[in-house]
Amino acid sequence: MASTFLPSASSSATFRTLIGAAALGLAGALAPVFPVQAQQAAPADPSAGQPLSHGPASVADLAEGLLDAVVNISTSQTMGRSGGGQRPAPRPDLPEGSPFQEFFDEFFNERDRGGEGGRRVQSLGSGFVIDAAEGIVVTNNHVIADADEIEVNFADGGKLKAELVGTDPKTDIAVLKVDPSLRELTQVQFGDSATMRIGDWVMAIGNPFGLGGSVSIGIVSARGRDINSGPYDDFIQTDAAINRGNSGGPLFDMHGRVIGINTAIISPSGGSIGIGFSIPSQLAVSVIEQLREFGETRRGWLGVRIQPVTDDIAESLGMGHARGALVAGVIKDGPVDDGTIQPGDVIIRFDGKEVRAMRDLPRIVAESPVGKAVDVVLIRKGEEQIVKVTLGRLEDGEKLAGNGEGDDPAEEAPVATAAVLGMTIAELNDEARASFGIAPEVSGVVVTEVAEGSVAAERGVTAGDVITEIAQESVSSPQEVMDRIAALKAQGRRNALLMLASKGGELRFVTIRME
């Protein structure tokens, strides 16, 4: 049986797929810990500040001081029987005295009480208190998504209703609030996940399969895991047992500090096989602070489409080795739609942080505040340059693109210019017509630049040519060109047939290799 990724929340309904986990960003510097208020969990420090060379003899004292801060999250939700937005079946018109009358009356009366065939379903997850004075509880977004009611259950059997403060599907984090005047709460504090090393001991506490207060221990198996759940994947992998119901629970270091939020497992059976994933505190703290302050995230936005730098691309650009993120397009009306960053640029450093691979850039931009002016080091036409950009706000970019919640403008927003098949292309507007002397009757997408030595250059494509069709389908925007090329590649095609128009309108066909 093939292994599958699963969220580690437990539900009586169908299990949700991994993490509702877009362009780029998160605002706010990462705080090392939350301030300690009210009663603070006081875990024992068995190593007295020294590294454990042979593993802990026991974690009993450590667990005892933390159990009261870890809670179970119970949610309920009304789900329609009809499903798919269909109308419920009508009540049948039975003859008077029918032997089935009593049966149908009972069935349809129960259905109507549920609200158009609704039925109540329960789900269970985990969470932990981070602020006892304010009653703040952290869990996963997928644990409470679509819930009608949320209840926090404590280790001593106590229960409190919770209200939702804010959620972030892209990192799968949710912040809840309970009334702290109704009971004494115990809180835990965050540690710095950046200091964790592969092989360090960790402890998970949670609610696997509804069994509250379960403790498991293991090590950090890997760091920086990308499991394709969202744009900011940077998971801690651990072999500490994590199962369904552990979602939203804490992963502790051996000093009792939260260095991760348990989120997902990979498993062929649905049970733990020693491969679990936690959101690192380095990322989570910033998100939680924003949700507490604003009820939403406020991410920075660079406004570019990016793709990986392959060995072939690195060689063609004279880079020596593959690194950085290649700018494939610039979002129209975005923060850098002024020529600051151009298609074909390779971003290798952002705000003082190295961009080793494409997936690093979204996360690094995510740590920069909206409106901050940052230095970006890039390679343009074989030369390293430094440009300064001012970040916009991702949520504004999403509205501009009209993508809807949870989508990534870096993938969906229309582009003003783009780099494709060795050409830089742009909208054929009045400015472009005047610049290249293109006749009014010519329509399509204008080629503004052709890379020297590229296949397009070998085929005689020059600046000022206009792409009118690709594979016998007309194109009118850079986005349509990129989408058409992507579709051809998905079909296994190796070459693209382009119809080009000269400045005066003469047409010709060229075939360009897409490999």
Side-chain angles (χ1 to χ4, degrees), residues 35 90 121 134 177 193 200 204 250 271 337 351 364 432 438 459-460 503:
V121 296
E134 296 294 328
K177 180 176 173 59
S193 59
D200 279 346
D337 186 22
D351 198 19
I364 293 174
I438 299 171
R459 292 293 185 269
K503 300 173 184 178

Side-chain angles (χ1 to χ4, degrees), residues 85-160:
Q86 300 176 359
R87 294 178 63 84
R91 184 188 294 261
D93 186 12
L94 299 174
E96 185 176 354
S98 168
F100 299 105
Q101 183 71 50
E102 183 178 350
F103 168 78
F104 280 109
D105 284 346
E106 181 180 355
F107 173 82
F108 282 96
N109 287 339
E110 180 182 354
R111 187 199 71 174
D112 294 340
R113 284 194 298 270
E116 291 197 353
R119 59 188 176 91
R120 303 295 290 178
V121 296
Q122 305 289 325
S123 65
L124 294 172
S126 304
F128 53 100
V129 180
I130 61 168
D131 190 329
E134 296 294 328
I136 301 299
V137 177
V138 171
T139 186
N140 280 147
N141 174 66
H142 76 258
V143 169
I144 53 83
D146 303 320
D148 299 323
E149 295 179 355
I150 305 172
E151 190 173 65
V152 173
N153 306 304
F154 296 88
D156 61 4
K159 300 179 180 180
L160 291 178

Side-chain angles (χ1 to χ4, degrees), residues 19-93:
I19 302 180
L24 317 170
L26 267 187
L30 297 176
V33 294
F34 279 99
V36 177
Q37 300 175 358
Q39 180 182 347
Q40 170 69 47
D45 182 0
S47 61
Q50 299 300 317
L52 300 170
S53 58
H54 301 291
S58 172
V59 293
D61 291 339
L62 186 65
E64 184 178 4
L66 300 170
L67 280 167
D68 288 342
V70 181
V71 298
N72 299 342
I73 307 295
S74 173
T75 68
S76 61
Q77 177 185 358
T78 300
M79 300 187 67
R81 290 185 186 273
S82 56
Q86 300 176 359
R87 294 178 63 84
R91 184 188 294 261
D93 186 12

